[in-house]
């Protein structure tokens, strides 16, 4: 499952051109085009997590390769999403949206045809580039087509469609893995992309920001380089050893590139990440909360399907069904959570929500091998969903309320990028933690190779099952601790009241 970032819809609330004089029918077609385009990322992301064990088995991929299937996408998306939004403002939002959909479609074809895991990882990286263009493009098109009074309803419809696709994705990925071929997850994107492009070309008017200026390519390149070096080092360290010279060089180069990124952003005339925004204690606190909370969610949701399938004996379809409470609760009760934050204060929701999410993650760690659905993931997933529902809406509003109205778009874009990067780092760090705990449980020279076999779906003996589940529990409790820490940050730095529109 790949939940959306906390401030997706907020990215277009900043300095947009006034809504064009479009008929109601034309506006509906604009909304349809953006929903279709966004469905590419909603379905693909949520379906792939459940299908990863089958992909590993078919392509003979080890643990590091499995992590890169996810992280190649997150790396490109997290590093380039702000550039994608700025490019749309400058060169035309419909044009950049269509380019993003085209890239995503071509990348999906490459993923569907991939003969090996290396080609699949390359296709996923290309998908991330496409998503970095189409995601902010879709939201900006809604913002430019609808008036200020209409945008709330339009964004609500877009988010509701996202929740629906979030429900369908894990079930679809699981069913295809069990009964057909996981490659269809990528093939589905091709007709969806063609339909999106046809509708957008005919019905969506072009719009741009006449005040938009240069693009911060230096910042994007440094961010991508630094994150890639750190991620590679963290993923490779369990196999190579933390003292390996290449790992040390990778960590040093990654840290140096990110330090250079901060220097460039401080001097850039049009930075992708305006550092002045972090002078606000609320903005800084909410981004730290986002980093911790989405780190917890990203790490837990990556490894949960492996435990459900490898240890608890779920089919891929059942593992997909285990994710349903998350999408259903967030889809149905997000509005109620917003009203609760208005009534009792945002700080309370931002403190209680992440703590509840941490409790849910802890509950997901408790069921032993062979547990069923009701006595297995149901309770944990439900509590996790309630906690995230309480937190996400107030988090978005708090981020946008912490800056001046002219900076709302870029502020929410920064927060969205933080959420993506949190997932990227979580998969790498939690993978290293899980591998080290497994090796410590099993012992012996072949322990690392055995961990790779378990992740790849090899035959398991009881000792390997117990060690894998023990390492999974450590990961889940670590993620739960991060979520609780996010709640503490929310209680200390969250605004007492949400800003009124």
């Amino acid at each position: 499952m790949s939940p959306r970032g906390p401030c997706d819809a907020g990215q277009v609330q900043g300095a947009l051109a006034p809504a064009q004089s479009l008929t109601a029918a034309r506006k509906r077609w604009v909304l349809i085009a953006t929903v279709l385009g966004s469905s590419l990322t909603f379905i693909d992301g949520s379906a792939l997590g459940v299908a990863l064990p089958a992909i590993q088995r078919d392509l003979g991929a080890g643990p590091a390769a499995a992590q890169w299937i996810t992280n190649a996408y997150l790396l490109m998306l997290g590093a380039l999403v702000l550039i994608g939004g700025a490019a749309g403002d400058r060169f035309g939002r419909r044009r950049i949206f269509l380019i993003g959909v085209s890239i995503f479609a071509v990348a999906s074809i490459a993923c569907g045809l991939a003969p090996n895991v290396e080609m699949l990882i390359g296709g996923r990286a290309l998908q991330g580039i496409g998503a970095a263009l189409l995601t902010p493009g879709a939201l900006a098109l809604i913002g430019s087509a609808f008036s200020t009074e209409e945008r709330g309803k339009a964004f609500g419809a877009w988010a509701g469609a996202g929740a629906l696709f979030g429900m369908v994705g894990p079930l679809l990925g699981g069913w295809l893995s069990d009964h057909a071929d996981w490659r269809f997850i990528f093939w589905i994107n091709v007709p969806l992309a063609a339909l999106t492009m046809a509708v957008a070309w005919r019905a969506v008017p072009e719009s741009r920001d006449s005040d938009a200026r240069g693009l911060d390519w230096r910042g994007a390149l440094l961010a991508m380089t630094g994150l890639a070096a750190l991620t590679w080092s963290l993923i490779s360290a369990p196999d190579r050893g933390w003292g390996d010279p290449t790992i040390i060089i990778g960590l040093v180069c990654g840290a140096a590139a990110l330090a250079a990124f901060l220097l460039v952003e401080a001097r850039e005339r049009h930075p992708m990440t305006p550092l002045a925004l972090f002078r606000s204690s609320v903005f800084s606190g909410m981004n730290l909360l986002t980093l911790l909370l989405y780190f917890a969610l990203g790490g837990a949701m990556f490894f949960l399907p492996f435990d459900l399938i490898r240890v608890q004996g779920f089919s891929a379809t059942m593992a997909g069904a285990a994710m349903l409470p998350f999408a259903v609760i967030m889809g149905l009760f997000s509005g109620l959570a917003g009203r609760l934050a208005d009534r009792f204060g945002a700080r309370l929701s931002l403190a209680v929500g992440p703590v509840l999410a941490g409790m849910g993650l802890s509950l997901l760690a408790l069921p032993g091998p062979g547990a069923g659905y009701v006595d297995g993931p149901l309770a944990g997933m439900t509590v996790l969903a309630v906690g995230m529902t309480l937190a996400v809406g107030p988090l978005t509003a708090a981020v946008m309320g912490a800056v001046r109205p002219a900076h709302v778009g870029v502020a929410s874009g920064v927060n969205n990028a933080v959420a993506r990067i949190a997932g990227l780092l979580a998969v790498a760090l939690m993978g290293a933690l899980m591998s080290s705990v497994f090796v410590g449980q099993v012992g012996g020279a072949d322990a690392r190779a055995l961990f790779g076999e378990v992740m790849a779906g090899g035959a398991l003996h009881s000792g390997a099952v117990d060690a894998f589940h023990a390492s999974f529990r450590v990961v889940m409790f670590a993620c739960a601790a991060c979520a609780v820490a996010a709640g503490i940050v929310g209680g200390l730095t969250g605004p007492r009241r949400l800003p009124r529109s």
Side-chain angles (χ1 to χ4, degrees), residues 300-323:
M301 292 301 101
F302 179 84
F303 290 104
L304 178 61
F306 287 95
D307 188 74
L308 292 177
I309 293 171
R310 300 278 190 264
V311 175
Q312 298 187 27
F314 280 38
S315 66
T317 305
M318 281 295 295
M323 311 292 182

Side-chain angles (χ1 to χ4, degrees), residues 37 40 96-106 130 134 193-194 196-197:
L40 295 169
I96 296 302
F97 174 75
L98 288 172
I99 291 173
V101 173
S102 302
I103 292 174
F104 202 95
V106 171
L134 77 87
T196 300
M197 294 175 69

